[in-house]
Amino acid sequence: MKTQTRNESARRGRILPQRFYARDPRIVARELLGKVLVRTLSDRVPELAGRIVEVEAYLGQDDEAAHSAAGETARNRVLFGPPGHAYIYFIYGVHFCLNFSCLPAGQAGCVLLRALEPLSGIEEMARARRINSVRLQSPSGRKLLTSGPGRLCEALSITRSALNGAALYLPDSGLRIVEDAFQPMEIGESPRVGITKSSALPLRYFIAGNKFVSR
DNA sequence: CAACCGATCACCT
DNA sequence: GGTGATCGGTTGC
């Protein structure tokens, strides 16, 4: 299923305010498409940035696939806190995944980032992902940078110890989401990837036709 | 104390 | 394109 969206008021570079996240994860997920994730590593290194092209919504209730489904624990505490914070978890003993907390404090919905289109700092991303410069020349090589939830975290040096709980709406937290110039986009929907419970819900959203969508 | 995973890679056709 | 190996934190028994 595909639908059209439009956002006339986009102002490039404006940080999304906390209230952007204080809504249903399905709305937040769709509106995050086309926005830009900016990662600041230090004052000395140029910022890394990528356009959000694929996300999944995890609901605050009636969603058995959500980490919050079994209630609050030490790991998922951020999900139950205020909206607009990074929830980062470690999966399969190897990878990190980045989520944004949604809904007011006390409700635990979130959005998982599944793929970015690299915009700047591509050389640095390739170093972090151990992709050599020859491979980076090809479309398939560039897709290895940030197409996948574990890949994008590795490319942007996003770890739980560094960024779990970070406020996405503050300019100095190392991770923020900004608006980009308006561009027409068609949004595709599908079931979410890699889960077994609540697997039929169509809560994965992506920019139709974008080459950096993971699948 | 052990099963469970929201993924990726190498290697195969 | 498809298949199998893999790792370790988190959780609940």
Side-chain angles (χ1 to χ4, degrees):
Chain A
M1 181 170 139
K2 292 172 178 176
T3 52
Q4 289 284 135
T5 76
R6 204 162 159 74
N7 182 1
E8 309 271 3
S9 62
R11 278 166 36 216
R12 189 173 207 151
R14 170 179 176 259
I15 295 180
L16 299 183
Q18 186 176 25
R19 66 175 178 277
F20 175 90
Y21 304 93
R23 300 177 292 164
D24 188 297
R26 289 166 287 204
I27 305 293
V28 177
R30 297 177 67 97
E31 293 193 13
L32 277 170
L33 293 174
K35 304 293 192 294
V36 175
L37 175 67
V38 183
R39 171 78 168 115
T40 307
L41 288 164
S42 78
D43 294 342
R44 328 181 132 221
V45 183
E47 292 181 320
L48 311 179
R51 186 187 324 284
I52 298 171
V53 301
E54 178 184 348
V55 294
E56 288 176 357
Y58 287 83
L59 308 182
Q61 47 188 4
D62 301 322
D63 184 356
E64 290 300 311
H67 276 186
S68 54
E72 185 172 344
T73 66
R75 174 173 66 153
N76 67 22
R77 198 177 62 247
V78 172
L79 292 177
F80 291 85
H85 289 252
Y87 168 56
I88 299 164
Y89 62 84
F90 192 60
I91 190 65
Y92 292 129
V94 196
H95 310 290
F96 292 99
C97 291
L98 172 64
N99 304 258
F100 303 152
S101 65
C102 298
L103 297 170
Q107 297 179 259
C110 69
V111 173
L112 167 72
L113 257 65
R114 284 197 53 89
L116 303 174
E117 174 180 341
L119 294 178
S120 54
I122 290 176
E123 297 296 322
E124 177 58 34
M125 294 183 198
R127 266 194 295 279
R129 292 273 301 126
R130 300 172 304 281
I131 295 167
N132 69 41
S133 55
V134 177
R135 196 136 191 229
L136 199 56
Q137 303 306 309
S138 70
S140 63
R142 284 192 292 278
K143 190 171 171 178
L144 291 173
L145 290 173
T146 53
S147 292
R151 289 170 174 174
L152 72 89
C153 282
E154 186 168 55
L156 301 190
S157 298
I158 293 169
T159 64
R160 182 169 167 93
S161 61
L163 288 171
N164 189 52
L168 302 162
Y169 49 86
L170 298 179
D172 298 324
S173 60
L175 200 59
R176 63 187 192 278
I177 313 295
V178 303
E179 296 200 29
D180 197 4
F182 170 74
Q183 49 202 302
M185 117 186 45
E186 190 175 28
I187 297 180
E189 297 182 13
S190 83
R192 294 173 291 185
V193 172
I195 57 172
T196 52
K197 300 170 184 170
S198 300
S199 58
L201 301 173
L203 297 179
R204 170 174 173 262
Y205 307 96
F206 54 94
I207 298 180
N210 187 285
K211 293 182 172 56
F212 292 91
V213 171
S214 70
R215 58 172 69 179

